[in-house]
Amino acid sequence: MGDSQKLIRSVKGVKDVTPEMAPKWRFVEETALETLDLYNFREIRIPIFEKTEVFQKSIGETTDIVEKEMYTFTDRGNESLTLRPEGTASVVRAYIEHKMYTKSGAVKLYYMGPMFRAERPQAGRFRQFHQIGAEVFGSSSPAVDAELIIMLMDFFNELKIQGLKIRLNSLGCHECRPAYRDALHGYLKTHVDSLCDSCKARIDRNPLRVLDCKSAGCQEIASKAPTIDKHRCAACEDHLDKVRRPLMDLELPVVMDPGLVRGLDYYTRTAFEVVSGSLGAQNSVAGGGRYDNLVEMFGGPPTPAIGFAIGLERLISLVDNSEIEDYYESAPDIFIVSLADEAQMRIFEIAHRLRSNGYRVERSFETGSIKSQMRKANKSGARFALIIGEDELFKGVATIREMETGEQKEAPFGEIITVLDEEFDIGA
Ligand code: HAM
């Protein structure tokens, strides 16, 4: 590499999943799919970008996400588009677009993939990050809220993650939230001088946002602010109680947190986060809640709904490596060593047959000395080397060598699989 050539690096806050890390991702994703399947969820694949308006109103004009964090651009047709900062708004858009409200019963959907927020990168906070999300449409029953949280904890339990807590709150409804909003607004007005500039600008339009502000000064004021629990109506109290009780009965680690508001505006009633004691400042592994007005806000029929999303980077950092040992064996079963140029055609044929029979096969693309070839076979971690030199080619056989014992057998080309099965007891 010359001095003049500057290395191109990935974008700040955007990470590769390297081949060393990928098995852990696969393990977590496959475990999630198994859990979602047991709870009878169906997959939806939503686009990576949408018209900007999909996110603007739903997430809320005065949220950090919409105010400062969206990757918004104008495309060639002069349309404003945005890389999705989250999945819920897109799923709601799709739910209405495909008239899923005409289906009977609750519609239960999940999605997974990258999300984009121009946040200040730090441990556990990225600009491209990944979520697995689930959304349930069509029921206002608190049983749905409870079951979603139970499913989430089932999944974390499958991954053997310890030390999690469920922070649970109810943000009230159109009946009781206005009075709370007024009380909060009144309190914040008396502390306006100590708020950050964005909170100063938004307290009149959306005082709840101050409670979720990341600045230290606002957090201090928020910690003494009036809380929603004193203002909730009887129906919201009852709903919350029916969410909480099954969780307590199952001895899940629920903590009631009347200060929890979450960073998105669409929530009504139930709001929750699952937090870990081992994650530092960015301790929320998953978050979600009810959004009973959102479908209607998008122009659909009134449809109660609730969902959550899990942050995969944070979750994966909590999964113990011992959980994925042997999950994906990365060594091949067989490494084919070729010592003669003329053996190449044979190797294509043999490798193809082995792979069709379920063996994981690696091969040499060079025809070097036997010593250097065997070193490669050894390094690959393969259990067997299959050696085809000039002698073997002449005789129409391959030498099968078990790497660990050094035991060797010759097998006619047509009988390699039989010899592997019978002599070495390797059923793929
Ligand atoms: P959220 O709380 O914004 O909710 O994100 C959910 C999870 O995504 C967080 O708990 C966190 O683990 C992860 N996350 C968020 N931002 C970042 C980031 N910059 N870097 C790394 N991880 C991050 C939602 O997105 C809602 N759509 C959840 C929902 C679904 N509510 C109802 N349905």
Side-chain angles (χ1 to χ4, degrees):
M1 222 171 311
D3 284 348
S4 57
Q5 216 174 335
K6 210 167 151 243
L7 276 186
I8 303 175
R9 295 189 161 273
S10 60
V11 175
K12 218 169 115 196
V14 175
K15 291 258 189 297
D16 298 304
V17 175
T18 59
E20 288 70 30
M21 283 302 289
K24 210 165 178 179
W25 280 73
R26 238 165 111 164
F27 167 64
V28 168
E29 286 164 358
E30 286 183 8
T31 309
L33 295 188
E34 279 165 23
T35 309
L36 287 157
D37 203 41
L38 290 175
Y39 280 82
N40 200 30
F41 277 73
R42 296 182 68 192
E43 184 177 14
I44 179 163
R45 299 196 181 198
I46 41 176
I48 300 280
F49 58 94
E50 297 266 5
K51 293 180 182 165
T52 300
E53 63 200 292
V54 168
F55 305 113
Q56 233 160 12
K57 273 230 184 78
S58 56
I59 296 174
E61 306 269 8
T62 52
T63 57
D64 280 355
I65 297 179
V66 171
E67 272 187 349
K68 323 176 195 170
E69 296 170 358
M70 293 208 303
Y71 283 102
T72 297
F73 60 98
T74 310
D75 81 345
R76 286 158 198 269
N78 231 3
E79 184 156 45
S80 177
L81 302 176
T82 294
L83 298 188
R84 61 184 189 195
E86 60 115 44
T88 310
S90 301
V91 176
V92 170
R93 197 253 324 122
Y95 174 82
I96 299 166
E97 195 164 326
H98 302 288
K99 298 194 173 50
M100 292 186 224
Y101 46 79
T102 57
K103 293 190 165 57
S104 66
V107 174
K108 298 162 74 172
L109 305 171
Y110 75 85
Y111 50 90
M112 57 169 88
M115 307 291 161
F116 306 86
R117 296 182 194 175
E119 296 199 75
R120 200 163 51 79
Q122 61 183 86
R125 193 193 279 162
F126 306 99
R127 292 188 162 177
Q128 172 173 322
F129 59 98
H130 297 76
Q131 287 186 343
I132 295 179
E135 317 285 350
V136 181
F137 294 88
S139 172
S140 57
S141 164
V144 179
D145 311 33
E147 184 160 276
L148 258 188
I149 297 173
I150 292 167
M151 173 173 83
L152 192 56
M153 297 309 280
D154 264 3
F155 170 48
F156 292 150
N157 197 34
E158 279 297 310
L159 299 175
K160 309 232 168 26
I161 295 175
Q162 315 267 325
L164 296 177
K165 283 205 163 55
I166 306 161
R167 296 169 65 202
L168 181 63
N169 193 18
S170 167
L171 297 171
C173 62
H174 62 278
E175 293 284 336
C176 54
R177 181 129 25 118
Y180 171 59
R181 195 190 134 112
D182 289 349
L184 181 62
H185 185 248
Y187 164 82
L188 292 172
K189 274 287 189 201
T190 61
H191 294 84
V192 68
D193 292 341
S194 321
L195 296 177
C196 75
D197 288 344
S198 25
C199 283
K200 272 187 190 126
R202 60 193 176 185
I203 56 166
D204 291 334
R205 287 167 71 198
N206 194 350
L208 264 78
R209 287 276 60 91
V210 179
L211 303 184
D212 193 51
C213 179
K214 290 164 192 146
S215 98
C218 296
Q219 282 184 3
E220 168 70 21
I221 292 166
S223 68
K224 298 186 187 115
T227 48
I228 179 85
D229 49 336
K230 313 279 183 321
H231 295 82
R232 275 195 294 260
C233 62
C236 284
E237 272 304 317
D238 182 56
H239 187 99
L240 178 60
D241 191 51
K242 288 184 171 134
V243 178
R244 189 180 55 115
R245 258 192 289 146
L247 306 180
M248 303 293 271
D249 287 349
L250 289 171
E251 297 183 0
L252 292 175
V254 185
V255 182
M256 299 312 284
D257 185 349
L260 178 78
V261 289
R262 314 244 324 109
L264 306 99
D265 274 354
Y266 47 62
Y267 293 111
T268 51
R269 290 196 164 161
T270 309
F272 61 92
E273 281 185 5
V274 179
V275 295
S276 158
S278 333
L279 278 178
Q282 306 305 317
N283 66 352
S284 159
V285 191
R290 226 171 225 293
Y291 47 93
D292 288 343
N293 304 326
L294 197 54
V295 175
E296 204 176 354
M297 196 171 133
F298 269 85
T303 309
I306 175 164
F308 66 71
I310 305 164
L312 280 183
E313 281 77 3
R314 293 181 197 175
L315 176 60
I316 282 165
S317 74
L318 293 174
V319 175
D320 197 285
N321 277 333
S322 64
E323 292 303 317
I324 56 158
E325 262 172 35
D326 305 328
Y327 187 74
Y328 284 107
E329 182 61 68
S330 62
D333 300 311
I334 296 160
F335 190 101
I336 306 180
V337 166
S338 104
L339 300 171
D341 280 338
E342 309 84 82
Q344 288 297 338
M345 270 327 286
R346 276 286 176 197
I347 290 178
F348 281 114
E349 191 185 300
I350 292 168
H352 183 256
R353 194 145 28 91
L354 285 165
R355 288 174 180 142
S356 310
N357 278 274
Y359 292 103
R360 186 195 291 226
V361 176
E362 190 51 274
R363 51 165 295 183
S364 166
F365 295 103
E366 275 76 42
T367 46
S369 73
I370 176 105
K371 216 168 145 198
S372 79
Q373 296 265 331
M374 288 311 284
R375 212 178 301 130
K376 279 188 195 158
N378 208 14
K379 247 187 158 166
S380 78
R383 184 169 161 206
F384 295 97
L386 200 77
I387 305 155
I388 306 175
E390 285 190 23
D391 266 6
E392 280 92 352
L393 207 56
F394 182 72
K395 290 199 278 179
V397 298
T399 300
I400 304 171
R401 179 187 172 89
E402 188 166 36
M403 299 301 286
E404 200 175 305
T405 60
E407 191 188 337
Q408 294 199 162
K409 291 238 154 55
E410 277 191 355
F413 289 147
E415 287 167 34
I416 292 170
I417 290 170
T418 321
V419 173
L420 281 168
D421 282 352
E422 287 176 3
E423 305 276 334
F424 292 106
D425 190 23
I426 166 178

